[in-house]
């Protein structure tokens, strides 16, 4: 019996038929799960949340002015040269 590591729902898969690296989906919580080993079967959650968190951090940094655009720096230098 294989259970989802996220919600513990039983996943209806033949343990002898799964292959290492195969991606399964939990019918209950819809998590994507990767088979990391086959005997015994062990599943790892493939987290899309990490990617979303990275995107959010980049957006916050841009809003705070932490990320500098090279084009903006060049424009400022040109304006200083003109004066």
């Amino acid at each position: 019996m294989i259970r989802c590591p996220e919600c513990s729902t039983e996943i209806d898969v033949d343990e002898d038929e799964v292959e290492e690296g195969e991606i399964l989906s939990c019918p209950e919580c819809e998590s994507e799960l990767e088979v990391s080993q086959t005997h015994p079967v062990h599943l790892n959650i493939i987290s899309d949340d990490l990617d979303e968190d990275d995107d959010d951090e980049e957006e916050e940094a841009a809003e705070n002015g932490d990320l500098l655009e090279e084009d903006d720096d060049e424009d400022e230098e040109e304006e200083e040269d003109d004066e």
Side-chain angles (χ1 to χ4, degrees):
M1 174 182 348
I2 302 174
R3 292 197 175 271
C4 173
E6 182 75 16
C7 68
S8 300
T9 299
E10 185 176 338
I11 299 176
D12 186 25
V13 201
D14 186 353
E15 292 184 42
D16 295 327
E17 298 291 321
V18 295
E19 297 178 9
E20 193 169 323
E22 186 173 343
I23 306 296
L24 305 175
S25 183
C26 175
E28 185 68 28
C29 69
E30 298 181 0
S31 292
E32 288 190 331
L33 310 166
E34 180 180 14
V35 179
S36 59
Q37 71 181 39
T38 54
H39 296 307
V41 174
H42 182 69
L43 302 174
N44 287 333
I45 299 169
I46 300 174
S47 179
D48 290 336
D49 293 341
L50 294 177
D51 294 339
E52 291 174 8
D53 289 344
D54 290 344
D55 292 344
D56 291 344
E57 289 173 9
E58 289 173 7
E59 289 173 8
E60 288 175 13
E63 289 172 3
N64 294 335
D66 294 341
L67 296 178
L68 296 176
E69 297 285 334
E70 290 181 19
D71 293 339
D72 290 344
D73 291 342
E74 290 173 7
D75 290 343
E76 290 175 13
E77 289 174 10
E78 288 175 9
E79 289 174 9
E80 290 173 6
D81 292 341
D82 291 342
E83 292 175 7

